[in-house]
């Protein structure tokens, strides 16, 4: 068996097209285009690339992006003041603060300062709490993007055994909640999990999100399973790879996401989807 590739680039382009249709519908109704404020603090090269990708995707979708490129010396008080201004600006629908932040700034304080109605990353405790209570509004982008990928490929998690490897607030925990909403039976594995290979081997759907290259071995994958690799790691050779041993896993799985070109494009596309949702919620 050789797994079918889940083409995240193609699905992301399709989703961006749907967002653009939603933006055009707003304009036809006499409303303004949604607006996303993107705040970058410092000159981290990877963050700069990510922000550039987000700006280009906004243009494709017809969403107005407003850039705040701040020096690395920016204080926490200065950043919070900018967020307060954006919270009060009725023409801004989404606020995104690119992580990581310089060491003088405490990330959680920043994320909690964003108005939950403009929290297009979906990380505010209010939005996480709504997801826990099965009342989602703005949902974390990567987990929501994973659910969109599964839907596009006709993969229904209902009744399936889902194993999520990694328990971060950005992916693992909200992904577990998304899978519970879809009525899957969910196991979350982490650094204290005993016999990880056995846990993975029992999964119908595996979501890998640990940030360690090739951590999930191909031989652990149950034949016919679905493998969603959220990880993106750069090897010493400069090559990008995921958290799953791709070639070996592909020989056992039914579906698998490549790295790059799998989950990554969905995160940005879902950010735009959330920005449109925010504009419509706040209209």
């Amino acid at each position: 068996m050789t797994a079918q590739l889940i083409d995240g680039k193609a699905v992301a382009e399709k989703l961006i097209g749907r967002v653009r249709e939603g933006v055009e519908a707003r304009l036809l109704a006499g409303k303004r285009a949604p607006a996303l404020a993107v705040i970058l603090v410092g000159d981290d090269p990877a963050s700069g690339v990510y922000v550039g990708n987000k700006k280009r995707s906004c243009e494709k979708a017809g969403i107005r992006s407003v850039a705040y490129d701040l020096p690395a010396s920016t204080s926490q008080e200065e950043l919070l003041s900018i967020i307060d201004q954006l919270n009060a600006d009725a023409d801004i629908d989404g606020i995104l603060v690119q992580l990581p932040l310089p060491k003088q700034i405490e990330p959680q304080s920043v994320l909690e300062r964003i108005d939950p109605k403009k929290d297009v990353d979906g990380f505010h405790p209010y939005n996480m709490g709504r997801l826990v209570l099965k009342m989602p509004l703005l949902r974390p982008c990567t987990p929501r993007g994973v659910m969109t990928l599964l839907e596009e490929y006709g993969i229904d998690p209902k009744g399936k055994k889902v194993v999520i490897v990694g328990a971060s607030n950005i992916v693992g925990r909200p992904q577990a909640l998304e899978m519970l909403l879809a009525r899957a039976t969910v196991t979350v594995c982490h650094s204290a999990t005993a016999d990880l290979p056995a846990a993975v081997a029992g999964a119908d759907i595996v979501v890998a999100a640990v940030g360690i290259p090739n951590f999930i071995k191909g031989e652990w994958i149950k034949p016919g399973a679905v493998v969603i690799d959220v990880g993106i790691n750069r090897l010493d050779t400069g090559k990008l790879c995921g958290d799953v041993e791709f070639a070996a896993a592909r020989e056992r799985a039914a579906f698998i996401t490549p790295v790059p070109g799998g989950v990554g494009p969905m995160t940005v596309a879902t950010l735009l989807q959330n920005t449109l949702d925010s504009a419509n919620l706040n209209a």
Side-chain angles (χ1 to χ4, degrees):
M1 175 188 300
T2 300
Q4 180 180 344
L5 290 181
I6 295 176
D7 188 344
K9 284 184 181 176
V11 177
E13 286 298 323
K14 191 173 176 181
L15 179 55
I16 289 171
R18 291 202 295 263
V19 172
R20 184 168 189 89
E21 289 172 3
V23 171
E24 289 169 353
R26 281 180 60 85
L27 296 176
L28 285 171
K31 299 176 181 177
R32 59 170 176 75
L36 172 66
V38 181
I39 302 173
L40 175 64
V41 185
D43 52 6
D44 178 73
S47 292
V49 171
Y50 293 144
V51 167
N53 288 341
K54 288 164 185 172
K55 288 176 184 174
R56 284 190 293 275
S57 296
C58 280
E59 289 171 11
K60 280 187 190 177
I63 290 173
R64 182 171 70 95
S65 68
V66 183
Y68 289 80
D69 296 332
L70 308 177
S73 58
T74 300
S75 70
Q76 180 161 313
E77 291 71 25
E78 288 169 329
L79 178 55
L80 293 177
S81 175
I82 290 170
I83 291 171
D84 288 343
Q85 292 170 35
L86 293 170
N87 283 340
D89 188 340
D91 289 331
I92 294 292
D93 302 293
I95 302 169
L96 182 144
V97 178
Q98 183 66 44
L99 301 177
L101 291 165
K103 62 178 184 290
Q104 74 271 17
I105 300 175
E106 204 282 302
Q108 195 59 35
S109 298
V110 171
L111 296 177
E112 291 189 28
R113 191 67 160 247
I114 296 170
D115 183 337
K117 294 177 184 176
K118 299 187 179 189
D119 168 40
V120 287
D121 258 338
F123 294 155
H124 193 285
Y126 174 85
N127 285 317
M128 285 284 200
R130 289 194 67 104
L131 188 56
V132 170
L133 296 173
K134 303 186 286 185
M135 302 162 55
L137 277 180
L138 297 176
R139 295 150 61 186
C141 295
T142 299
R144 186 181 186 186
V146 167
M147 303 311 287
T148 303
L149 279 180
L150 295 177
E151 183 180 347
E152 287 289 330
Y153 277 79
I155 301 164
D156 186 358
K158 183 179 178 181
K160 301 288 197 306
K161 292 181 180 177
V162 175
V163 170
I164 297 165
V165 186
S168 73
N169 290 341
I170 293 172
V171 181
R173 291 167 192 263
Q175 190 70 73
L177 295 169
E178 288 281 3
M179 290 293 185
L180 282 172
L181 273 179
R183 303 197 66 203
T185 300
V186 183
T187 300
V188 179
C189 298
H190 43 72
S191 59
T193 297
D195 201 354
L196 180 62
V200 172
D204 301 310
I205 301 174
V206 179
V207 181
V210 289
I212 302 172
N214 301 313
F215 181 72
I216 306 294
K217 304 307 176 190
E219 65 195 36
W220 300 356
I221 303 300
K222 181 169 87 171
V226 175
V227 178
I228 304 294
D229 193 346
V230 179
I232 184 159
N233 312 285
R234 190 173 294 279
L235 301 175
D236 292 339
T237 60
K239 183 182 176 183
L240 293 175
C241 76
D243 292 347
V244 177
E245 201 175 51
F246 179 79
R250 191 179 183 188
E251 294 305 310
R252 296 173 68 84
F255 293 89
I256 191 168
T257 57
V259 177
V263 175
M266 292 302 300
T267 300
V268 177
T270 305
L271 172 69
L272 306 183
Q273 184 182 24
N274 279 354
T275 302
L276 175 61
D277 288 349
S278 176
N280 290 336
L281 284 168
N282 298 331

